[in-house]
C-alpha cells in the first residue's frame, strides 16, 4: 500500500513493477484515494540480468497519458537487505537521467608506442562493440549512438559513434584511440598538460544517447572505467549502464508520499547437474517412503516457515521427473486421514492442496486460455451491467436487465467449462483420478464425495479463481476496471456454487450470505446443471481418452473432404491420390476415412501414436499431415493451412491420453529406400525430430531440474537449525512418551515413524553439508577469477 500521495488531490492510482525500465506487472487501479491499498502479491522468475527492481506509482488518466508520481528503486545488490520483511520506502522523483537499462560491450587496451627518437608513450584503444537491451523510447526502438570520452582533471577528449536506427541492440564495432602519456621529448603545444602520474586520475566514460533528430537527445545510460585498472593489460567485458550521478535533485521527495513493500528475493548459483544427484534422488523417491511424512519432500514442507516456499520448487522438480502424481496421492491420503467429514474434503491449505493448486497453475495455463479467454475477453471488452445487489445499484439501473445479463454470462462461462473436458491436460486428469478414488475409499458410504474431491479443485481453486482474477492467469494483460471486476466476482460466485452441485444432497443456496444471490440462483435449480457438472467431473477424473458417452448418435468432432495417401511408403503420392471424406467420430472411438461417406477403413483412436505435419518436399504437396498409427503412416492433404491445423489439433486432443504416444517422428516420408528427412535407410528406425505433442501442447513446460534442486538445497540450508532439532526429537524417546514439556519449532511437526524420519533427516543433513563445501569452492573460484567490468 501507499500513503500521503500527492497531497490535497484525490486520485486514481496504480503501481507497476519494473525490471530496470521494463514493466513486468501492474496492480489494479484504486480509485479516489490518497493512501491506496493494493494488497496484491506477484511471484515471478527473473529471466535476465538487471540492475534495479523498481516500483512506479501512477496517476491514472482517462484522456491523457498516465502520470508517474514517483518511484522506489532498489539496486539488485541491496535486495537481500529488505527480503522477508515489510519496509516503508519514500517515493523518489522520476528523473530521466536515472531511467536506464541495458549493457555495453567494450574492449580496452593500453598500447606502448616507440617514437622516432626512441622514447616511449602510451595510447589507449577503446573498441565499443555492441549494446544490448536498451530501453524503448515512446514504445519504439531507439536510434542509439555512443560518445566515448577520456576524462581527467584537465582534459576531456570526446569522440562519437555513428547513429544506429531503430534498434535496442545496436552493433557499433567502432574503435577510438586516445593519447594517454607523451614522451619527455614532446614539444608541441597543447591545451592539455599530460604527465605520467595523470594515468591514476584518468577514466574512460561511455555515454549512450537516443538521437532525437528534431528534439533533444535522450540520455540512455553511462559507464566509467578507470584507466589504471588496465595497466599494461587488455581485456573485454560487458558493463551494465548506470544512471547519471548528477541527476535532477531539485524535487522534494518528502512531498511524494511513501510505499510499503514486502519483498522476497532469492538468488541461486546452480552447480553442474552431477552435484545434485544425491539430493535429487532422495527427493524423487519420496512417494515410495513409508510413511510419507518421513520422506525428504514432506520434511521440506515441514521445516519451511511458509509452505509455498517449498511447494513451488518441489512441484516443478517432481513434475519435471514425472513423479508428481504418486507424491500428490501419498500426501492426499495422509490429508484424508485427518478429515472427519466428507463435506470438508480438501478444503484446507495442506501440503496436498497446495501441491495440486501449484500443479494446476503450471500445467493448466493453456487449458484456461482455450476454455475461458474468449468469454473473458467478451466480458472485459464489451461489458454489460450485471450488478444485482440493491445497495450497489446506480441510479437508472434495472435490476431485472442486470440479472439477465449476469445469467447470460454465467451460462456462457459454465457451458465453456463443462464442454472443456477434452482439453483438460492429462496430468490434471491423473491427479483428479487419484484424488477421486482416495476420497471414495476414505468415505465409502458417501456417493458424492468422489465428485466434491474433484470439484473442490477444478471449480473452486481453478476456474473460479481464474474468472475473478484473469490477469493473474494471463487471460488479460491488466486488471479489469472496477465494474468489470464486480461482474467477474459475481460470475465466480455462481460458478463455485454450480460446481459444487456435483455432490448435491441438499440445496446449496445457504452457501450465499447475500439474499440477492439466493434469488438469482433460484433460476438455476435445474437437473441439467447437476448432470452437466457430474458428467464433466467424470470426464476430467478419468485416465481414459475423453469421449462423450451415453449418446445414441456419434458426435462428429471434425469432418471434411481431404486428399489421401493410404500407403505412406511403397507408392508415390500421385498414384494413390483420391478425394476422401474424413470424419472424426467420438462415440465409436475411431478416426474414420470414408469415400462417398461409406467407410473404407477406420483407425481406433487408441491406436494413434502421433499426429504431425508432413514436409511439403515429401510429395510436393502443401498442407499435408500424417497420422502415425502402426507400421504405415497415413498421409492426408487438407484443403488449406487452417484446416490442416484444425485437423491436427482435433486429433491431438482426442489422443493425448494414449499410453504409447511417440516422442520422435520423421517429418518427411520414407521413399526409394530412405527417409527423406534424415536419410536413414531402415524404415522402422526411430524418428529424427521430437514430436511437437509428445506431451500435450498444454503441458509443455520449461523446467530446469537442477535449478529447482538448488532452490530446495537453499531452503534446507536456511532451515538447517530446524532439521537438526527435528533430528534430535526423533532420536529422543522422551519426545514420544508423555507430553512435550516445552513447545518448540518441532512441536507441530508430523512424526509418524521416528526411525524412518531420523534416517531421512541424516541423509538430508549429510547431503546439504557436502553441497555447502561445493558451493564454497565455487565461490572462491569465482572470486579469484572475477575481473573488473564483468556484469
Amino acid at each position: 500500500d501507499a500513503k500521503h500521495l500527492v497531497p490535497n488531490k484525490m486520485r486514481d492510482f496504480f503501481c507497476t513493477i519494473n525490471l530496470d525500465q521494463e514493466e513486468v506487472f501492474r496492480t489494479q487501479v484504486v480509485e479516489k484515494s490518497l493512501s491506496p491499498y493494493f494488497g496484491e502479491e506477484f511471484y515471478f522468475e527473473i529471466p535476465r540480468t538487471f540492475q534495479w527492481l523498481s516500483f512506479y506509482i501512477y496517476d491514472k488518466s482517462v484522456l491523457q497519458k498516465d502520470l508517474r508520481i514517483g518511484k522506489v528503486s532498489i539496486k539488485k545488490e541491496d535486495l537481500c537487505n529488505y527480503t522477508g520483511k515489510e519496509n516503508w520506502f519514500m517515493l523518489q522523483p522520476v528523473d530521466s537521467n536515472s531511467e536506464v537499462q541495458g549493457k555495453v560491450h567494450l574492449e580496452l587496451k593500453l598500447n606502448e608506442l616507440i617514437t622516432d627518437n626512441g622514447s616511449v608513450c602510451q595510447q589507449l584503444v577503446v573498441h565499443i562493440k555492441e549494446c544490448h537491451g536498451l530501453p524503448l523510447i515512446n514504445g519504439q526502438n531507439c536510434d542509439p549512438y555512443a560518445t566515448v570520452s577520456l576524462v581527467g582533471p584537465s582534459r576531456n577528449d570526446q569522440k562519437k559513434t555513428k547513429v544506429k536506427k531503430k534498434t535496442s541492440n545496436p552493433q557499433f564495432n567502432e574503435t577510438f584511440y586516445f593519447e594517454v602519456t607523451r614522451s619527455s621529448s614532446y614539444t608541441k603545444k597543447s591545451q592539455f598538460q599530460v604527465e605520467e602520474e595523470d594515468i591514476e586520475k584518468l577514466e574512460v566514460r561511455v555515454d549512450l544517447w537516443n538521437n532525437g533528430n528534431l528534439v533533444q537527445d535522450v540520455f540512455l545510460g553511462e559507464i566509467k572505467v578507470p584507466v589504471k585498472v588496465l595497466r599494461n593489460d587488455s581485456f573485454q567485458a560487458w558493463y551494465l549502464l548506470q544512471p547519471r550521478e548528477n541527476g535532477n535533485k531539485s524535487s522534494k521527495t518528502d512531498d511524494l508520499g511513501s510505499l510499503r513493500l514486502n519483498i522476497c528475493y532469492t538468488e541461486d548459483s546452480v552447480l553442474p547437474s552431477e552435484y545434485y544427484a544425491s539430493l535429487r534422488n532422495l527427493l524423487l523417491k519420496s512417494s515410495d517412503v513409508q510413511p510419507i511424512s518421513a520422506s525428504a519432500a514432506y520434511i521440506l514442507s515441514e521445516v519451511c516457515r511458509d509452505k509455498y516456499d517449498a511447494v513451488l520448487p518441489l512441484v516443478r522438480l517432481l513434475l519435471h521427473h514425472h513423479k508428481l502424481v504418486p507424491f500428490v496421492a501419498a500426501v492426499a491420503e495422509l490429508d484424508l486421514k485427518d478429515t472427519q467429514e466428507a463435506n470438508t474434503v480438501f478444503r484446507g491449505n495442506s501440503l496436498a492442496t497446495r501441491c495440486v493448486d501449484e500443479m494446476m497453475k503450471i500445467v493448466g495455463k493453456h487449458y484456461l486460455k482455450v476454455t475461458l479467454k474468449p468469454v473473458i475477453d467478451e466480458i472485459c471488452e464489451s461489458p454489460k451491467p450485471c450488478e444485482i445487489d440493491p445497495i450497489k445499484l446506480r441510479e437508472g439501473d434495472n435490476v431485472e436487465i442486470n440479472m439477465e445479463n449476469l445469467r447470460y454470462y454465467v451460462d456462457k462461462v459454465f457451458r465453456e467449462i463443462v464442454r472443456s473436458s477434452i482439453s483438460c491436460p492429462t496430468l490434471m486428469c491423473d491427479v483428479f483420478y487419484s484424488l477421486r478414488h482416495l476420497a471414495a475409499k476414505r468415505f465409502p458410504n458417501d456417493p458424492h464425495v468422489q465428485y466434491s474431491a474433484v470439484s473442490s479443485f477444478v471449480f473452486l481453486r481453478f476456474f473460479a479463481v481464474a474468472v475473478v482474477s484473469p490477469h493473474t492467469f494471463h487471460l488479460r494483460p491488466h486488471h479489469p476496471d472496477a465494474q468489470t471486476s464486480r461482474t467477474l466476482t459475481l460470475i465466480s460466485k455462481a460458478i463455485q456454487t454450480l460446481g459444487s452441485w456435483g455432490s448435491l444432497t441438499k440445496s446449496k443456496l445457504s452457501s450465499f450470505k447475500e439474499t440477492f444471490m439466493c434469488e438469482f440462483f433460484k433460476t438455476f435449480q435445474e437437473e441439467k446443471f447437476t448432470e452437466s457438472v457430474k458428467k464433466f467431473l467424470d470426464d476430467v477424473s478419468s485416465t481414459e481418452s475423453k469421449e462423450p458417452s451415453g449418446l445414441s448418435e456419434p458426435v462428429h468432432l471434425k469432418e471434411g473432404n481431404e486428399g489421401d495417401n493410404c500407403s505412406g511408403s511403397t507408392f508415390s503420392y500421385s498414384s494413390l491420390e483420391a478425394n476422401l471424406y474424413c470424419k472424426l467420430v467420438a462415440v465409436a472411438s475411431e478416426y474414420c476415412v470414408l469415400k462417398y461417406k461409406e467407410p473404407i477403413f477406420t483407425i481406433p483412436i487408441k491406436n494413434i501414436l502421433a499426429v504431425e505435419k508432413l514436409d511439403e518436399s515429401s510429395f510436393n504437396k502443401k498442407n499435408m499431415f500424417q497420422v502415425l498409427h502402426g507400421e504405415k503412416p497415413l498421409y492426408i492433404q487438407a484443403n488449406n493451412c487452417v484446416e490442416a491445423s484444425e485437423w491436427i489439433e482435433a486429433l491431438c486432443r482426442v489422443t493425448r491420453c494414449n499410453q504409447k504416444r511417440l516422442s520422435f517422428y520423421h517429418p518427411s516420408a520414407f521413399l526409394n529406400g530412405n527417409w527423406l528427412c534424415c536419410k536413414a535407410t531402415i524404415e522402422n528406425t526411430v524418428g529424427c525430430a521430437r514430436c511437437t505433442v509428445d506431451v500435450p501442447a498444454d503441458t509443455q513446460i520449461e523446467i530446469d531440474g537442477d535449478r529447482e534442486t538448488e532452490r530446495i538445497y537453499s531452503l534446507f540450508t536456511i532451515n538447517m537449525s530446524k532439521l537438526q532439532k527435528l533430528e534430535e526429537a526423533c532420536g529422543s524417546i522422551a519426545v514420544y512418551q508423555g507430553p512435550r514439556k516445552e513447545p518448540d519449532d518441532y512441536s507441530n511437526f508430523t512424526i509418524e515413524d521416528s526411525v524412518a524420519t531420523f534416517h531421512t533427516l541424516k541423509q538430508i543433513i549429510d547431503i546439504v553439508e557436502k553441497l555447502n563445501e561445493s558451493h564454497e569452492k565455487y565461490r572462491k573460484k569465482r572470486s579469484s577469477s572475477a575481473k573488473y567490468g564483468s556484469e
Side-chain angles (χ1 to χ4, degrees), residues 666 670 673-675 678-686:
H666 291 283
F670 186 82
N674 66 80
W675 289 100
C678 60
K679 308 304 179 185
T681 57
I682 302 176
E683 186 173 0
N684 61 354
T685 190
V686 177

Side-chain angles (χ1 to χ4, degrees), residues 51-86:
Q51 297 184 74
W52 300 87
L53 178 65
S54 300
F55 303 83
Y56 290 83
I57 296 292
Y58 282 82
D59 177 8
K60 180 70 175 177
S61 176
V62 177
L63 301 177
Q64 299 177 347
K65 185 178 180 181
D66 297 332
L67 175 65
R68 288 193 289 189
I69 301 299
K71 69 175 182 177
V72 172
S73 290
I74 306 173
K75 203 163 188 176
K76 176 184 176 183
E77 292 78 9
D78 297 331
L79 283 171
C80 58
N81 299 328
Y82 303 105
T83 189
K85 53 188 177 183
E86 289 186 355

Side-chain angles (χ1 to χ4, degrees), residues 654-668:
V654 297
T655 62
R656 74 191 191 287
C657 294
N658 290 355
Q659 299 299 314
K660 296 183 179 180
R661 289 185 64 91
L662 297 178
S663 295
F664 293 88
Y665 79 107
H666 291 283
S668 293

